Amino acid sequence: MVSAVVTWLNADRKPAALYVVAGSLGFALAWYLLGWEGIHGTSDYWSTTHNDSVHSIAGLRYYLSEGWGWPLLHIDSYGYPNGTNVIITDSVPLLAVTAKLFRGVLPAGFHYFGYWMALCFVMQAVTIVWLLVVLGWRSYAAALVGATMALLQTALLTRFFHVALLAQFLIVMAFIVGVRITRSNGPGRQLRWFVVLLLAAFFVHLYLYAMVAVVATAFVAQLGYRDRLQWSTVWGWVIGLASGSLVLVVASGAIDAALSSAGGFGTYSMNLLALVVKEPDATGGQYEGFSYLGLGVISLLAVNIYWSRPMIKRAFRTYLLPMLAVVAMAVYALSNRVWLGESSLVSLPYLGPMDWVADRFRASGRFVWPLVYVLVVGAIYLTVRRFRSRTATALLLGALALQAIDLTGTAQVTHDVLRDSESQYLQADTWAHLIEQHSLLRVSQPGCVSPRTQLASAELERLAALEGVPITAAAVARREQTCEPGYQQPLENGELRVVWAEDNGTLRGDAADAYCADFRLGTVCSLQPFRGADMNGLDSPAATN
């Protein structure tokens, strides 16, 4: 009986059947975490402001409300008057442009982020199994173990607050393309698939684009190193990648993000224990490097480090430059300030060119993700290749059980967050009525006020985006924050001005006839009377707690 089960699990299957199994597991996890309402974008989670998704949704809604312009992804109304860009609102530009093409038939208030999250979980499972298929393992055991191990990863489960960065499957696809090209008879003709993948990654998230670009370039260089491509082709790839990136950055309007700098390198890093310990954070920002592999993957790695060293050495020789690129990205993830748990091991200066990179990719901890998926796939693949069928199956199923037991709690925490609705600070109906009567909402930049006020400001962003009213605030990365309130300037006709109590700004400037009303967190003013709104009901019950 056991022998029959092992044979059935390890028999070669058609890849399509394996992808269906993997995709089903991915969708099952998405349904568990989000529920049907969450996937459809109608659950309470999507209207709360205690997560960064509120800014992604606001960016999308403003982008859809405006006409086509140049640069392609620029938004005028969000962070008015300078505006911002869909790329840095984490609104998944690839989908935003598609949605804009069909905005005439989309329902009011539509957003795709629930569907996107579900797609990411499905593709996470499918691409890991796809990579195992490319490496030569085509069984139900591959689909079951590979998909589950890939889905139960801390790097994925704790990334829900940055929806665009859930597309870690793009990194796995870079390895799929790389391995296929390496094994093909005409590698030069296959490079176009890297180009397609890079285009997709650019219009999802710049961090993913950077990782895919490094992996792709490493595989191309490996082909040159093995004399399977002429070095002129390799250098042509590098020059084409650089020039193509410049064209994309300019055409999309992301040039401001590319040229602007942001602090935090060394804070948003990876802890040296992150792969083997759950959520170590010595800086308050090392959540960016959370990458705990899980007991299942760790146990398989331990077994194979002891039993499969010749195979590991052979794999490194075969894919030397891609493996070195993965290691280099992991080193960058540690940053120049290396922490082992709560202990600081070293703090190093870095050279001028590195300063430019660090300012643009300050959340260096994310660059451990390629290593995570190399280790997950490597642990499974080595086990299958090193041990006999029955032993390998026992090891894999045992590791699968360990992984599920170990990381079910992490999945449960994510489930609870995505199914919960946080209390809000402002009475949404009253504020929506006020905002729709005006043509501009002026608010302090969110980064200039306390965390509690930032949440209230995020509520105003959400409501203004729903009404399509331009707002001066924009809680997005790479946007210059001017913390001078600027409330000395006169109120404008059509302007609704919110002054937080902590700003200590002058409300009316020289407009003595302004209409103002106080609420717990500040004051709201306009040159026109507040009609049809309960000005005593600006605060929600949470504002008094």
Side-chain angles (χ1 to χ4, degrees), residues 15 24 46 69 76 80 110 130 133 156 181 241 302 313-314 332 344 368 407 417 422 424 430 437 444 449 508 522 526:
S24 299
W46 297 112
D76 290 316
Y80 182 86
F110 169 83
W130 188 359
V133 167
L156 181 74
I181 288 177
L241 178 62
K313 291 178 182 178
R314 189 158 57 248
Y332 180 76
S344 175
V368 73
L407 284 166
V417 172
E422 298 283 350
Q424 305 298 294
T430 303
Q437 297 178 28
S444 292
V449 292
R508 296 182 293 274
S526 173

Side-chain angles (χ1 to χ4, degrees), residues 237-286:
W237 167 267
V238 172
I239 295 170
L241 178 62
S243 57
S245 298
L246 180 61
V247 170
L248 287 173
V249 164
V250 172
S252 66
I255 186 69
D256 290 338
L259 294 178
S260 63
S261 60
F265 183 74
T267 298
Y268 302 108
S269 61
M270 178 188 105
N271 196 290
L272 203 56
L273 295 178
L275 291 170
V276 294
V277 175
K278 290 182 179 179
E279 303 182 5
D281 189 353
T283 67
Q286 290 191 319

Side-chain angles (χ1 to χ4, degrees), residues 453-481:
T453 304
Q454 287 178 29
L455 293 176
S457 180
E459 292 179 50
L460 293 178
E461 290 181 38
R462 181 181 71 85
L463 295 170
L466 277 171
E467 301 297 335
V469 174
I471 185 172
T472 57
V476 295
R478 310 289 171 188
R479 186 172 186 273
E480 185 177 352
Q481 301 263 343

Side-chain angles (χ1 to χ4, degrees), residues 55-71:
H55 311 300
S56 301
I57 297 173
L60 169 65
R61 286 176 172 157
Y62 276 120
Y63 184 65
L64 295 182
S65 70
E66 297 179 3
W68 294 99
W70 188 263

Side-chain angles (χ1 to χ4, degrees), residues 9 84 128 131 172 192 228 274 276 297 316 321 343 359 387 505 532:
L9 282 173
T84 185
I128 286 289
L131 182 53
V172 182
R192 65 182 182 274
R228 299 196 59 215
V276 294
V297 176
F316 259 91
L321 296 184
S343 301
D359 277 346
F387 299 97

